[in-house]
Amino acid sequence: MSEPVKTLPLVFDEPRGRKKPPRHLADLTAAERKELVATLGLPGFRAKQLSTHYFSRLVDDPAQMTDLPAAEREQLVAGLLPDLMTPLRTLEADKGTTRKTLWRLFDGALVESVLMRYPDRVTMCVSSQAGCGMACPFCATGQGGLQRNMSTAEIVEQVVAGARSLARDEVPGGPGRVNNVVFMGMGEPMANYKAVIGAVRRMTDKAPDGLGMSARGITVSTVGLVPRMLQLAEEGIPVTLALSLHAPDDELRNELVPINTRWTVHEAVGAAWNYAHKTKRRVSIEYAMMRDINDQAWRADLLGDVLTSYGDWGWVHVNLIPLNPTPGSKWTASRREDEREFVRRLEAKGVPTTVRDTRGSEIDGACGQLAAHDD
């Protein structure tokens, strides 16, 4: 590479001394909610009523919770449904079917989520951290550093907010529901493991304890925190795992994805294979195509060889992402002909390959563009 890459340190833990977000119903299991309601001196069944309003009816106005006695309602809402995030603005693209929302959290931290409506489904792209500590130089979020981890409820609230806007017919295409959630917004989900798993459980818990989504509709992405990838394989939740690889060789990946200096390509891909082997769920390899950096034909061959070395039992597919440019970046998207050749070579080695539809790039809502600026 020509000029040296600006490198930030890898950060695995959030800064000390950050205040925690207020406790919310979505942070708790059904049993924990019941317990909390009892400590407020109220009957335990109120927890289920409150959960029904939040997860099933998508109510955000306490006045609509008419089955709760007025005196208890105030106490319950204060104790279990605090305001977690305030929408600052929503930008739209694709005739209103792609919506990026900028949120201010309780402590002023800013995060973004993106709703994408397709003819047959709705996908929510959610953030799991304010900022990111993984320091990937081609990603706007990574260059901003890590402010803090988000709570389980802050993650869930992004999905619930999307579900509300669909239920209220605010997105073109008539009322609908969220079918898919991808943890590909701001942050490294595996660096905030406990809260992310809590959020996945809330999304998949049967209504009214949670949103009642299928785990197969949820994708958790990672740049390759190997111990957490191994842990996820043991959780018994069949989510899709996506590994952001971006290079098939350690020399280049060390530069593009600094965590590779901790866990190599071989270790990260091995952990992805282990996940597929244990869960029987096909793993997605994410690969941002960068002109003249990682898009050479020989690298396509090498990537194919790395993946097929674990066998060709359909355990993996490659998702090529045309790089979304960020301001002042020297990285640009691959030429179309190089992209086509990359696909051809992977498929020749028997690796199923798709090129991602880059929705939302004109509102900086696509992969690697979320920077959460309030300006």
Side-chain angles (χ1 to χ4, degrees):
M1 292 186 188
S2 45
E3 68 220 64
V5 173
K6 171 189 164 199
T7 51
L8 292 169
L10 275 171
V11 179
F12 291 95
D13 301 312
E14 64 182 335
R16 288 181 178 281
R18 298 289 303 219
K19 279 180 68 179
K20 295 284 178 210
R23 181 191 52 204
H24 186 281
L25 169 146
D27 289 312
L28 310 170
T29 63
E32 289 167 340
R33 288 170 213 161
K34 202 169 173 182
E35 218 172 277
L36 178 59
V37 165
T39 64
L40 297 173
L42 299 172
F45 67 87
R46 296 286 184 224
K48 193 150 203 149
Q49 288 177 302
L50 213 53
S51 300
T52 302
H53 285 302
Y54 183 74
F55 285 115
S56 300
R57 297 188 184 140
L58 305 170
V59 170
D60 56 358
D61 177 5
Q64 291 175 17
M65 303 178 187
T66 49
D67 57 343
L68 299 173
E72 289 181 14
R73 190 187 312 160
E74 208 170 293
Q75 199 180 349
L76 284 163
V77 168
L80 279 93
L81 289 177
D83 283 336
L84 290 176
M85 42 217 293
T86 311
L88 294 184
R89 69 159 180 264
T90 295
L91 298 176
E92 296 184 354
D94 305 311
K95 297 180 179 165
T97 58
T98 301
R99 293 159 55 97
K100 179 177 83 162
T101 303
L102 175 68
W103 302 97
R104 176 180 282 128
L105 307 182
F106 83 103
D107 56 355
L110 301 174
V111 298
E112 292 178 318
S113 61
V114 185
L115 181 151
M116 292 161 283
R117 184 171 210 160
Y118 301 89
D120 59 339
R121 68 189 189 283
V122 176
T123 298
M124 284 289 315
C125 177
V126 299
S127 294
S128 55
Q129 295 179 309
C132 182
M134 295 298 104
C136 300
F138 58 90
C139 173
T141 316
Q143 288 305 292
L146 176 64
Q147 289 170 270
R148 71 165 171 88
N149 287 336
M150 294 176 69
S151 67
T152 286
E154 286 174 328
I155 297 167
V156 171
E157 177 66 14
Q158 296 169 78
V159 181
V160 170
R164 280 190 196 119
S165 60
L166 286 161
R168 293 170 188 177
D169 207 5
E170 293 166 5
V171 184
R177 60 191 306 253
V178 176
N179 314 95
N180 301 89
V181 172
V182 294
F183 281 83
M184 294 182 181
M186 302 176 71
E188 162 53 53
M190 296 286 184
N192 187 16
Y193 187 86
K194 193 177 169 196
V196 165
I197 292 299
V200 169
R201 292 196 185 280
R202 282 317 88 76
M203 290 172 204
T204 54
D205 284 343
K206 286 190 173 68
D209 294 334
L211 285 167
M213 293 180 65
S214 162
R216 291 168 184 272
I218 298 171
T219 298
V220 178
S221 88
T222 180
V223 290
L225 277 73
V226 167
R228 296 303 195 193
M229 293 168 74
L230 298 173
Q231 192 176 347
L232 185 66
E234 307 297 332
E235 291 285 355
I237 320 174
V239 297
T240 298
L241 176 67
L243 171 62
S244 297
L245 197 64
H246 307 313
D249 53 300
D250 287 326
E251 188 184 3
L252 178 59
R253 195 169 190 260
N254 285 346
E255 208 166 326
L256 294 180
V257 187
I259 200 170
N260 200 71
T261 57
R262 195 73 66 93
W263 294 287
T264 63
V265 168
H266 177 68
E267 290 171 298
V269 174
W273 177 87
N274 172 73
Y275 186 83
H277 180 66
K278 282 265 169 74
T279 63
K280 303 296 178 269
R281 300 283 293 140
R282 190 169 72 156
V283 167
S284 180
I285 299 291
E286 310 287 306
Y287 197 102
M289 294 286 283
M290 305 174 214
R291 182 181 300 185
D292 301 329
I293 292 177
N294 68 350
D295 63 354
Q296 302 88 343
W298 69 266
R299 276 203 164 92
D301 290 339
L302 179 57
L303 177 60
D305 290 342
V306 167
L307 299 178
T308 55
S309 70
Y310 290 88
D312 58 358
W313 47 277
W315 74 274
V316 69
H317 89 282
V318 171
N319 191 8
L320 298 178
I321 307 164
L323 186 76
N324 296 299
T326 55
S329 171
K330 65 170 185 164
W331 282 280
T332 53
S334 298
R335 300 170 194 87
R336 276 294 156 89
E337 60 270 26
D338 292 341
E339 190 181 277
R340 281 193 293 268
E341 180 64 7
F342 209 91
V343 171
R344 193 187 71 72
R345 290 195 177 224
L346 282 169
E347 287 180 340
K349 288 188 179 284
V351 179
T353 305
T354 49
V355 179
R356 181 184 292 172
D357 160 28
T358 57
R359 285 180 59 151
S361 56
E362 66 271 42
I363 53 172
D364 289 342
C367 228
Q369 292 186 313
L370 302 186
H373 294 305
D374 182 19
D375 47 29

